[in-house]
Structures are given as C-alpha cells and as structure tokens.
Amino acid sequence: MREALTSNYAAAYAVKAADVDVIAVYPITPQTTIVEKLSEFVSSGELDAELIHTESEHSALSAVLGAAAAGARVFTATSSQGLALAYEVLHIASAMRMPIVMATPARALSAPINIHNDYSDVMNMRDTGWVIYIASSAQEVYDTVIQGYRVAEGVNLPVAVAYDGFLMSHTLEPVELNDEGEVAKFLPRAARPHVLDPRRPVTFGPLVSPDWYYEFKYQQVTAMNEAREWVVKTDVEYGQWFGRSYGLVEGYLLEDADYVVVTYGGAAYGNARAAADLARERGVAAGVLRIRLYRPFPTGEVVKALSGVKTFAVLDRAIMFGSPAEGPLYKDVVLAMYLHGVDKPSLNVIHGIGQRAMYVRDIYKVFQALREGPGRGVMYMGVRP
Amino acid sequence: MTLPGASQLPIGAVVTEPGSTRRNTTAGWRAYKPVIHDDRCVRCQLCWLYCPEGTIVELRGVFQIGGRKYDVKYEVVYDYCKGCGICANECPTRAIEMVPEVV
C-alpha cells in the first residue's frame, strides 16, 4: 500500500505495524505529530497499546524504560530540548540494556530558541550508548523504525531513529507501507533475558561498587560491536522480506569519484546529490557518501568508500564548540581514516545550522573548493560572519 | 578472589538472585559503631524506626534491667550497620554511643 506521508507519520505507521505495547508521550516540536497520530491509532482501536501522557520527556523515557523492563515493546519520540531533558535517562536506558525505539526528528538546541532543524540535539546523544540511525527519506524512516525493533530486541540496546526536523518530519513523501501481518512475522516477540516479574524476582538498576562498574560499561562496548552486525543482518533480511534495504552507508556516484562530500540526513544528502550531478555535468568527478548508521560508527565502510578518493569534505549540521574541528561527523570520519592509516586532505563544512538554507550551489562550491586545493580546516557556510 | 568478567555477568547489571544483597556485608563502611547502653534505653523504638538500613532489631523476651522489666530489647546488626549515627542522634536518652572503630 502506498501513502503520502510525512516522516513523522511514517514513523507512527511503523510503530503501529510493529504492534508496540506501551507508548509514552510528551509533546515537543517537531516531534509532536508522531504521537498525535499514534494517539489516533490507539483511540480508534487500530493499535492496542497503552498510551501514557507524562509530565516531561525525562518521564516519558523513564516510563518506557520501566515498561521495557517488564517485557513490553515500547516507543517514545522527542526532539531538541526534550531530548536534552531526557539526557540522564539516555545513559540509563542503554546501560540497563532496554530495547527502546525512539524517533528523533532533529531540531536545533536553545538558545536562542529555534524550532527548526539541525543535528545539535542528536549529536549530543552520540556517546550515550544508543544505536543511532539517521534516515534521509520518509520511506527510510518507516523501514528503519521497523528494523530498529529487530536490532533493539536482538542486541538489547535502545535505538534512536533520527531524521531532519521539519525538512522531513513535516514534508509529504510517497511511502510504501508493509503488510502488517508480515511485519508481525518479521518482528516475533522473543523471550527477553530478564524481565520484571513478581514470580521470578530480579533487581534492575542496582548500585555497584568500583569492583563491578567497569565490567558493565565493557558489556556496552561489546554490545555496540554486536549491534553493528545486527544492523547489517537486519537490513539484509528486511530487504529479502520487503524489498528495501539501505546498508550502513549509502554512496552516490562514488565508484569513480575523486571529490566526495560526506554527510547525513535528508536535506544535506539530497542537495549534495544535486550538487554532485551539477559538478558531473561540468566534468568534475564528484560523489556523495551518506552515513546512515551513526552509532555504532561504520568505520570499515567509511574508510573503504573514501580510500580511493583524492579529497573529501564532511558536511556537518551541528557544532562541537572548541573542538579541533567543530563538526562531529568530521571528527569520526578523520579518526576512522587515521586508525586505518589513511591520511587525506579533507575539509569540514558546517552548514544548515538552525535550518539556515543549504542551497545546491553551496555544496557545488564545496566540490569546487575540494578541486582547487587540498584544504584542511573548517569552512562555515551560510553564516554572516 | 577472582571476580567474574564482563562476559560472565548478567547483562545490564541485573541481579538475578533475590536477596543476594545479604551476602554483601557493609560493616567495613563504618568509622564509628553504635553501642546501645541498655540501662539507659527506655524502649521508645525511635532507633528502630529511624535506622535507614533496618539494622536495629527488636528482640522479644523478658529483660530485667536494674529494677525495671521490659518485654523488648534493641540490638544492632553489625554486619550491615554502616555507622551513620542517625540512631545515636535520635535517641532521646542518649543511650546510644558512637564508638570509634579500631582497626
């Protein structure tokens, strides 16, 4: 069945298809229409779930954490300040190994208040132990939320599905919806290692002494490596079942590219592809690499994709103030290359902050800059300095 | 004693055995230990009520203290008392003395 859906509605339809048991909600722009749609599904009886109205995002995430501990399949969604408020629980959810799936249409952080898109909220959660996808179309949001449940319940880690706030969350695109019976078969309810059950009492979230803590952090390191395998396996199997798969990274005109822009999300990837087309028309071997799985980072795939190019630029949509280079993805890409002994001149481009318009011509200029000279350093595009 | 490694522990620090915390005695946490002077105790039960760890136990029986006879008596379970001193602070008759632990 094909529907015209925003990415937020696509996320809601995926949650319905996954037949979740408990949804905890607190409104925040641009996430709100996801849980509004889910609220409709619950009230119409299309989805048999408990929908809990909480008093904050901290509480919403805590509520689904508790429900997940009791064995429920759960969902919540938030953005920006809401994600920041839930920050403490992000760490707790991953360390307690709760298979939560959360949609995160990305939005700029205050101050000044800005309800529009960049990735400063999502990038702040990169070290919290969550599996983080960044989707680039409504279809991919739908598919990734469903895949997310398989990964979350397979490796016992929480999964965030991020995408551009407004630019995707409120933009209609055609979305192919799966047969929900097939999704139910793709997402069987497996027995969990431990659940809260009065008949078999266990303790979740104990205090541990320095003799024990490090081992549980090391478990998370191991789990993240396993998560990478789960993401690959799930994506391949999903492709076999439903005909769509994405990989950990996605390339555009990469095979013979000399100059590559690396980026994430919908707007940046779409415009970068258009800019690469433009550059190709003018004889420049341009290509684009999109990071779909941000955590765990697809180090091998990124290094493989970039090893053969002359030079590349990483287009970031968030700022790490005071960092050697301010783009978070740039840091990951350069470190990945360094660890594999690949040293290439590269640029970090910061653009689209607070949804500053990113034009195709801007990214075309990045290809030109790459061609003109091996640059190093950070280029701030679209800002009035 | 060799402690189990990360791969041998339940994931997410779940404690799978109910009541196993009893094995972790916390006596070593104490710098001062509460000592109950039973002759000054009026059996008001405040130490039992206030102890945050439930380490004051109420014993039933017949207890002759000087000229008085009581049917209860309070004792400290030293395996779990952390030495916080709340009992001594709350005791209205100063019957509980905090004595330095000597190693």
Side-chain angles (χ1 to χ4, degrees):
Chain A
M1 189 174 56
R2 200 168 217 222
E3 292 269 1
L5 298 176
T6 62
S7 284
N8 275 359
Y9 277 15
Y13 273 91
V15 169
K16 178 161 79 80
D19 189 27
V20 302
D21 306 311
V22 176
I23 302 164
V25 305
Y26 190 85
I28 189 166
T29 303
Q31 166 279 130
T32 308
T33 59
I34 307 173
V35 295
E36 282 175 355
K37 193 72 191 166
L38 286 169
S39 203
E40 285 175 26
F41 287 148
V42 172
S43 78
S44 69
E46 288 170 85
L47 174 60
D48 180 17
E50 283 292 325
L51 193 121
I52 310 168
H53 292 265
T54 57
E55 73 276 34
S56 74
E57 292 85 353
H58 185 285
S59 302
L61 190 52
S62 300
V64 292
L65 192 157
R73 182 172 283 171
V74 302
F75 178 79
T76 188
T78 191
S79 300
S80 185
Q81 304 311 118
L83 187 63
L85 185 62
Y87 182 73
E88 167 183 45
V89 193
L90 294 176
H91 288 266
I92 297 171
S94 59
M96 288 176 68
R97 309 293 298 274
M98 292 301 166
I100 297 163
V101 174
M102 175 171 71
T104 313
R107 167 185 152 183
L109 285 168
S110 300
I113 300 170
N114 178 329
I115 61 166
H116 288 94
N117 165 240
D118 69 24
Y119 278 81
S120 16
D121 55 353
V122 172
M123 289 302 165
N124 272 4
M125 73 177 291
R126 70 183 178 275
D127 300 334
T128 58
W130 282 56
V131 173
I132 304 173
Y133 290 93
I134 304 178
S136 72
S137 69
Q139 182 70 63
E140 191 187 338
V141 169
Y142 177 81
D143 296 329
T144 305
V145 168
I146 295 171
Q147 291 187 10
Y149 280 100
R150 182 100 158 227
V151 171
E153 290 167 12
V155 73
N156 293 293
L157 281 177
V159 171
V161 180
Y163 47 95
D164 297 11
F166 282 114
L167 298 172
M168 290 170 64
S169 68
H170 288 60
T171 304
L172 283 169
E173 295 178 64
V175 178
E176 199 69 49
L177 299 175
N178 299 332
D179 179 275
E180 292 188 355
E182 289 297 299
V183 175
K185 281 188 238 160
F186 183 74
L187 297 175
R189 286 170 194 269
R192 298 265 294 282
H194 307 289
V195 290
L196 288 176
D197 176 356
R199 288 162 300 184
R200 287 170 46 209
V202 294
T203 300
F204 276 86
L207 170 81
V208 300
S209 69
D211 282 343
W212 298 92
Y213 181 83
Y214 192 1
E215 279 66 32
F216 294 109
K217 294 294 111 182
Y218 189 73
Q219 281 187 349
Q220 289 179 259
V221 174
T222 314
M224 266 294 180
N225 290 327
E226 287 168 17
R228 192 182 282 106
E229 290 159 28
W230 271 95
V231 169
V232 172
K233 191 169 65 179
T234 301
D235 189 51
V236 169
E237 284 174 30
Y238 189 88
Q240 289 159 357
W241 280 59
F242 303 108
R244 292 176 302 275
S245 59
Y246 302 88
L248 307 188
V249 299
E250 187 181 350
Y252 183 69
L253 306 177
L254 267 188
E255 293 71 24
D256 59 342
D258 291 329
Y259 309 102
V260 170
V261 166
V262 187
T263 193
Y264 46 88
Y269 184 50
N271 284 2
R273 278 182 297 172
D277 287 340
L278 201 59
R280 288 271 173 175
E281 281 171 26
R282 297 176 189 181
V284 180
V288 185
L289 177 69
R290 176 174 76 91
I291 306 300
R292 175 180 182 240
L293 182 70
Y294 186 56
R295 286 287 181 272
F297 196 71
T299 305
E301 287 77 2
V302 168
V303 172
K304 190 168 165 239
L306 295 177
S307 288
V309 311
K310 282 187 182 154
T311 172
F312 65 90
V314 176
L315 171 56
D316 261 301
R317 310 231 18 239
I319 304 173
M320 298 192 295
F321 301 105
S323 176
E326 283 88 345
L329 175 62
Y330 184 66
K331 188 193 76 172
D332 287 314
V333 171
V334 168
L335 179 59
M337 301 289 274
Y338 176 81
L339 289 172
H340 282 74
V342 186
D343 183 16
K344 273 185 200 299
S346 59
L347 272 179
N348 187 194
V349 179
I350 309 279
H351 204 346
I353 298 301
Q355 208 172 313
R356 176 59 45 86
M358 294 179 292
Y359 296 101
V360 173
R361 63 172 183 266
D362 296 339
I363 304 174
Y364 178 73
K365 277 185 204 151
V366 173
F367 284 119
Q368 277 184 316
L370 288 176
R371 205 167 153 232
E372 276 160 19
R376 281 188 199 264
V378 186
M379 185 194 282
Y380 286 87
M381 288 195 105
V383 70
R384 297 181 299 278
Chain B
M1 182 175 65
T2 309
L3 297 173
S7 62
Q8 297 160 298
L9 291 166
I11 70 161
V14 170
V15 180
T16 53
E17 189 190 335
S20 57
T21 304
R22 289 198 194 101
R23 289 204 294 270
N24 300 328
T25 62
T26 49
W29 294 26
R30 271 197 312 272
Y32 289 84
K33 74 189 262 189
V35 174
I36 300 175
H37 297 289
D38 206 28
D39 54 331
R40 286 183 240 158
C41 173
V42 294
R43 274 64 184 170
C44 69
Q45 209 180 33
L46 282 176
C47 57
W48 177 88
L49 186 68
Y50 275 96
C51 176
E53 294 293 341
T55 63
I56 309 261
V57 289
E58 193 175 67
L59 303 176
R60 299 271 159 185
V62 180
F63 305 101
Q64 185 79 35
I65 312 292
R68 286 169 292 181
K69 209 156 108 180
Y70 294 108
D71 58 2
V72 291
K73 174 184 162 73
Y74 296 94
E75 276 185 6
V76 178
V77 182
Y78 287 112
D79 277 351
Y80 302 108
C81 169
K82 294 168 180 169
C84 70
I86 288 174
C87 55
N89 191 59
E90 294 297 334
C91 178
T93 59
R94 297 183 187 280
I96 303 178
E97 185 187 356
M98 296 304 289
V99 179
E101 289 279 3
V102 181
V103 181

